[in-house]
Coordinates of all heavy atoms in Angstrom, one line a residue:
M196 N -7.0 8.8 19.6 CA -6.7 8.0 18.4 C -6.4 9.0 17.2 O -7.3 9.6 16.7 CB -7.7 7.1 17.9 CG -7.7 5.7 18.6 SD -8.9 4.6 17.8 CE -9.2 3.6 19.3
P197 N -5.1 9.0 16.8 CA -4.8 9.9 15.6 C -5.4 9.3 14.3 O -5.3 8.0 14.2 CB -3.3 10.0 15.6 CG -2.9 8.8 16.3 CD -4.0 8.4 17.3
H198 N -5.8 10.1 13.4 CA -6.3 9.5 12.2 C -6.1 10.5 11.1 O -6.1 11.7 11.3 CB -7.8 9.1 12.2 CG -8.7 10.2 12.6 ND1 -9.3 11.0 11.6 CD2 -9.1 10.7 13.8 CE1 -10.0 11.9 12.3 NE2 -9.9 11.7 13.6
G199 N -6.0 10.1 9.8 CA -5.8 10.9 8.7 C -4.4 11.5 8.5 O -4.3 12.5 7.9
Q200 N -3.4 10.9 9.1 CA -2.1 11.4 8.9 C -1.1 10.3 8.5 O -1.2 9.2 9.0 CB -1.6 12.1 10.2 CG -1.5 11.2 11.4 CD -1.1 11.9 12.6 OE1 -0.9 13.1 12.6 NE2 -0.8 11.2 13.7
D201 N -0.2 10.6 7.6 CA 0.8 9.6 7.1 C 0.2 8.3 6.7 O 0.7 7.2 7.1 CB 1.8 9.4 8.2 CG 2.7 10.6 8.5 OD1 2.8 11.4 7.5 OD2 3.0 10.9 9.6
V202 N -0.8 8.3 5.9 CA -1.4 7.0 5.5 C -1.3 6.8 4.0 O -1.9 5.9 3.4 CB -2.9 6.9 5.9 CG1 -2.9 6.7 7.4 CG2 -3.7 8.0 5.5
E203 N -0.6 7.8 3.3 CA -0.6 7.7 1.8 C 0.7 7.2 1.2 O 0.9 7.3 0.1 CB -0.9 9.1 1.3 CG -2.2 9.6 1.8 CD -2.6 11.0 1.3 OE1 -2.2 11.3 0.1 OE2 -3.1 11.8 2.0
D204 N 1.6 6.7 2.1 CA 2.9 6.3 1.6 C 3.1 4.8 1.5 O 4.1 4.3 1.3 CB 4.0 6.9 2.5 CG 5.1 7.5 1.6 OD1 4.8 8.1 0.7 OD2 6.3 7.2 2.0
D205 N 2.0 4.0 1.6 CA 2.1 2.6 1.6 C 1.9 2.0 0.2 O 1.2 1.0 0.1 CB 1.1 2.0 2.6 CG 1.4 2.2 4.0 OD1 2.6 2.1 4.3 OD2 0.6 2.4 4.9
T206 N 2.7 2.4 -0.7 CA 2.5 1.9 -2.1 C 3.0 0.5 -2.2 O 2.6 -0.2 -3.1 CB 3.3 2.8 -3.1 OG1 4.6 3.0 -2.6 CG2 2.6 4.2 -3.3
S207 N 3.8 0.1 -1.2 CA 4.4 -1.3 -1.3 C 3.3 -2.3 -1.0 O 3.5 -3.5 -1.3 CB 5.6 -1.4 -0.4 OG 5.2 -1.2 0.9
E208 N 2.2 -1.9 -0.5 CA 1.2 -2.9 0.0 C 0.1 -3.0 -1.1 O -0.9 -3.6 -0.9 CB 0.6 -2.5 1.3 CG 1.6 -2.7 2.4 CD 0.9 -2.6 3.8 OE1 -0.3 -2.7 3.8 OE2 1.6 -2.4 4.7
L209 N 0.3 -2.4 -2.3 CA -0.7 -2.6 -3.3 C -0.7 -3.9 -3.9 O -1.7 -4.4 -4.3 CB -0.3 -1.5 -4.5 CG -0.8 -0.1 -4.2 CD1 -0.3 0.8 -5.3 CD2 -2.4 -0.1 -4.1
T210 N 0.4 -4.6 -3.9 CA 0.5 -5.9 -4.5 C 0.8 -7.0 -3.4 O 1.4 -6.8 -2.5 CB 1.5 -6.0 -5.6 OG1 2.8 -5.7 -5.1 CG2 1.2 -5.1 -6.7
S211 N 0.3 -8.2 -3.7 CA 0.6 -9.3 -2.8 C 1.3 -10.4 -3.7 O 1.2 -10.5 -4.9 CB -0.6 -9.9 -2.3 OG -1.3 -9.0 -1.5
E212 N 2.0 -11.3 -3.0 CA 2.7 -12.4 -3.8 C 1.8 -13.6 -3.8 O 1.3 -14.0 -2.7 CB 4.1 -12.7 -3.1 CG 5.2 -11.7 -3.5 CD 6.5 -12.2 -3.1 OE1 6.6 -13.2 -2.3 OE2 7.5 -11.7 -3.5
Y213 N 1.7 -14.1 -5.0 CA 0.9 -15.3 -5.1 C 1.8 -16.5 -5.6 O 2.6 -16.2 -6.5 CB -0.2 -15.2 -6.1 CG -1.3 -14.2 -5.6 CD1 -1.2 -12.8 -5.7 CD2 -2.5 -14.7 -4.9 CE1 -2.1 -12.0 -5.2 CE2 -3.4 -13.8 -4.4 CZ -3.2 -12.5 -4.6 OH -4.2 -11.6 -4.1
E214 N 1.7 -17.7 -5.1 CA 2.5 -18.8 -5.5 C 1.6 -19.9 -6.1 O 0.6 -20.3 -5.5 CB 3.2 -19.3 -4.3 CG 4.1 -20.6 -4.6 CD 4.8 -21.1 -3.4 OE1 4.5 -20.7 -2.3 OE2 5.7 -22.0 -3.6
C215 N 2.1 -20.3 -7.3 CA 1.4 -21.4 -8.0 C 1.6 -22.7 -7.2 O 2.7 -23.1 -6.9 CB 1.9 -21.5 -9.4 SG 1.1 -22.9 -10.3
L216 N 0.4 -23.3 -6.9 CA 0.5 -24.6 -6.1 C 1.1 -25.7 -6.9 O 1.5 -26.8 -6.3 CB -0.9 -24.9 -5.6 CG -1.4 -23.9 -4.6 CD1 -2.9 -24.3 -4.2 CD2 -0.6 -23.8 -3.4
Q217 N 1.1 -25.6 -8.2 CA 1.6 -26.7 -9.1 C 3.0 -26.6 -9.5 O 3.8 -27.5 -9.4 CB 0.7 -26.9 -10.3 CG -0.7 -27.3 -9.9 CD -1.4 -28.1 -11.0 OE1 -0.8 -28.8 -11.7 NE2 -2.7 -27.9 -11.2
C218 N 3.4 -25.4 -10.0 CA 4.8 -25.3 -10.5 C 5.6 -24.4 -9.6 O 6.8 -24.2 -9.8 CB 4.8 -24.8 -11.9 SG 4.3 -23.1 -12.1
G219 N 5.0 -23.7 -8.6 CA 5.8 -22.9 -7.7 C 6.1 -21.6 -8.2 O 6.9 -20.8 -7.6
R220 N 5.5 -21.2 -9.3 CA 5.8 -19.8 -9.9 C 5.3 -18.7 -8.9 O 4.2 -18.8 -8.4 CB 5.1 -19.8 -11.2 CG 5.4 -18.5 -12.0 CD 4.7 -18.6 -13.4 NE 4.9 -17.4 -14.1 CZ 4.0 -16.8 -14.8 NH1 2.8 -17.3 -14.8 NH2 4.2 -15.7 -15.5
I221 N 6.1 -17.7 -8.8 CA 5.7 -16.6 -7.9 C 5.2 -15.4 -8.8 O 5.9 -15.0 -9.7 CB 6.9 -16.1 -7.1 CG1 7.4 -17.3 -6.2 CG2 6.4 -14.9 -6.2 CD1 6.4 -17.8 -5.3
V222 N 4.1 -14.8 -8.5 CA 3.5 -13.8 -9.2 C 3.1 -12.6 -8.3 O 2.5 -12.9 -7.3 CB 2.3 -14.2 -10.1 CG1 1.6 -13.0 -10.7 CG2 2.8 -15.1 -11.2
E223 N 3.4 -11.4 -8.6 CA 2.9 -10.3 -7.8 C 1.7 -9.7 -8.5 O 1.7 -9.3 -9.7 CB 4.0 -9.2 -7.7 CG 5.0 -9.6 -6.6 CD 6.0 -8.4 -6.4 OE1 5.5 -7.3 -6.5 OE2 7.1 -8.7 -5.9
A224 N 0.6 -9.6 -7.7 CA -0.6 -9.0 -8.3 C -1.4 -8.3 -7.2 O -1.2 -8.5 -6.1 CB -1.4 -10.1 -8.9
E225 N -2.2 -7.3 -7.7 CA -3.1 -6.6 -6.7 C -4.2 -7.5 -6.3 O -4.6 -7.4 -5.1 CB -3.6 -5.3 -7.4 CG -2.5 -4.3 -7.7 CD -3.1 -3.1 -8.3 OE1 -4.2 -2.7 -8.1 OE2 -2.4 -2.4 -9.2
T226 N -4.7 -8.3 -7.1 CA -5.8 -9.2 -6.8 C -5.4 -10.6 -7.2 O -4.4 -10.8 -8.0 CB -7.1 -8.8 -7.5 OG1 -6.9 -8.8 -8.9 CG2 -7.6 -7.5 -7.0
S227 N -6.1 -11.6 -6.9 CA -5.8 -13.0 -7.2 C -5.7 -13.1 -8.8 O -6.5 -12.8 -9.5 CB -6.9 -13.9 -6.7 OG -6.6 -15.2 -7.1
P228 N -4.5 -13.6 -9.2 CA -4.3 -13.8 -10.6 C -5.1 -15.0 -11.2 O -5.0 -15.2 -12.5 CB -2.7 -14.1 -10.7 CG -2.4 -14.7 -9.3 CD -3.3 -14.1 -8.4
G229 N -5.9 -15.6 -10.4 CA -6.7 -16.7 -11.0 C -5.9 -18.0 -11.2 O -5.5 -18.6 -10.2
T230 N -5.7 -18.4 -12.4 CA -4.9 -19.6 -12.7 C -3.6 -19.3 -13.4 O -3.4 -18.3 -14.0 CB -5.7 -20.6 -13.6 OG1 -6.1 -19.9 -14.7 CG2 -6.9 -21.1 -12.8
C231 N -2.6 -20.2 -13.2 CA -1.2 -20.0 -13.7 C -1.3 -20.0 -15.2 O -1.9 -20.9 -15.8 CB -0.3 -21.1 -13.1 SG 1.4 -21.0 -13.7
A232 N -0.6 -19.1 -15.9 CA -0.5 -19.0 -17.3 C 0.3 -20.2 -17.9 O 0.2 -20.5 -19.0 CB 0.1 -17.7 -17.7
K233 N 1.2 -20.7 -17.0 CA 2.1 -21.8 -17.5 C 1.5 -23.2 -17.4 O 1.5 -24.0 -18.3 CB 3.4 -21.7 -16.8 CG 4.3 -20.6 -17.2 CD 5.8 -20.9 -16.8 CE 6.7 -19.9 -17.5 NZ 8.1 -20.2 -17.1
C234 N 0.9 -23.5 -16.2 CA 0.5 -24.9 -16.0 C -1.1 -24.9 -15.7 O -1.6 -26.0 -15.6 CB 1.3 -25.5 -14.8 SG 0.8 -24.8 -13.2
G235 N -1.7 -23.7 -15.5 CA -3.1 -23.7 -15.2 C -3.5 -24.0 -13.8 O -4.6 -24.3 -13.4
G236 N -2.5 -24.1 -12.9 CA -2.7 -24.4 -11.5 C -3.3 -23.2 -10.8 O -3.3 -22.1 -11.2
D237 N -3.7 -23.5 -9.5 CA -4.3 -22.4 -8.7 C -3.2 -21.6 -7.9 O -2.2 -22.2 -7.6 CB -5.3 -23.0 -7.7 CG -6.5 -23.5 -8.4 OD1 -7.0 -22.9 -9.4 OD2 -7.0 -24.6 -8.0
F238 N -3.4 -20.4 -7.7 CA -2.5 -19.6 -6.9 C -2.9 -19.5 -5.4 O -4.1 -19.5 -5.1 CB -2.4 -18.2 -7.5 CG -1.5 -18.1 -8.7 CD1 -2.1 -18.0 -10.0 CD2 -0.1 -18.1 -8.6 CE1 -1.3 -17.9 -11.1 CE2 0.6 -18.0 -9.7 CZ 0.1 -17.9 -11.0
Q239 N -1.9 -19.4 -4.6 CA -2.1 -19.2 -3.2 C -1.5 -17.9 -2.7 O -0.3 -17.7 -3.1 CB -1.5 -20.4 -2.4 CG -1.7 -20.3 -0.9 CD -1.0 -21.3 -0.1 OE1 0.2 -21.6 -0.4 NE2 -1.6 -22.0 0.8
N240 N -2.2 -17.1 -2.0 CA -1.6 -15.8 -1.5 C -0.6 -16.1 -0.4 O -0.9 -16.7 0.6 CB -2.7 -15.0 -0.9 CG -2.2 -13.6 -0.6 OD1 -1.1 -13.3 -0.5 ND2 -3.2 -12.6 -0.6
R241 N 0.7 -15.8 -0.7 CA 1.8 -16.1 0.2 C 1.7 -15.3 1.5 O 2.2 -15.7 2.5 CB 3.1 -15.9 -0.4 CG 3.3 -16.8 -1.7 CD 4.7 -16.6 -2.2 NE 5.7 -17.3 -1.5 CZ 7.0 -16.9 -1.3 NH1 7.3 -15.7 -1.8 NH2 7.8 -17.6 -0.6
A242 N 1.1 -14.1 1.4 CA 1.0 -13.2 2.5 C 0.2 -13.8 3.7 O 0.3 -13.3 4.8 CB 0.4 -11.8 2.1
K243 N -0.6 -14.7 3.3 CA -1.5 -15.3 4.3 C -0.9 -16.4 5.1 O -1.4 -16.8 6.2 CB -2.8 -15.7 3.7 CG -3.7 -14.6 3.3 CD -5.1 -15.1 2.8 CE -6.0 -13.9 2.5 NZ -7.3 -14.4 2.0
S244 N 0.2 -16.9 4.6 CA 0.8 -18.1 5.3 C 1.8 -17.7 6.3 O 3.0 -18.0 6.3 CB 1.4 -19.1 4.2 OG 2.0 -18.3 3.2
V245 N 1.3 -16.8 7.2 CA 2.2 -16.4 8.3 C 1.9 -17.2 9.5 O 0.7 -17.2 10.0 CB 2.0 -14.9 8.5 CG1 2.9 -14.4 9.7 CG2 2.4 -14.1 7.3
E246 N 2.8 -17.9 10.0 CA 2.5 -18.8 11.2 C 3.3 -18.3 12.4 O 4.5 -18.2 12.4 CB 3.0 -20.2 10.9 CG 2.6 -21.1 12.0 CD 1.2 -21.6 12.0 OE1 0.5 -21.4 11.0 OE2 0.7 -22.1 13.0
Ligands
ZN589 ZN1 2.0 -22.9 -12.4

């Protein structure tokens, strides 16, 4: 098992997309943004909805 090589270039995975369940607004954040600034709805991590 190789380890410790080529693991520092994944800057694109620092943020995840979160979608507001109420107004559908998409926000990119490193951690859960909490509640929507526009409607106060809850966010859902879109990266987890892989079926
Ligand atoms: Zn919203």
Side-chain angles (χ1 to χ4, degrees):
M196 272 189 210
H198 60 89
Q200 59 181 9
D201 293 330
V202 289
E203 303 181 37
D204 226 43
D205 285 325
T206 49
S207 60
E208 291 193 16
L209 279 175
T210 59
S211 300
E212 281 192 346
Y213 293 86
E214 178 178 13
C215 176
L216 295 176
Q217 292 209 37
C218 70
R220 184 174 177 227
I221 305 297
V222 171
E223 281 190 27
E225 294 182 30
T226 59
S227 178
T230 53
C231 180
K233 281 198 170 186
C234 72
D237 292 321
F238 280 104
Q239 177 187 49
N240 192 337
R241 300 183 79 212
K243 285 186 176 177
S244 37
V245 179
E246 186 77 16

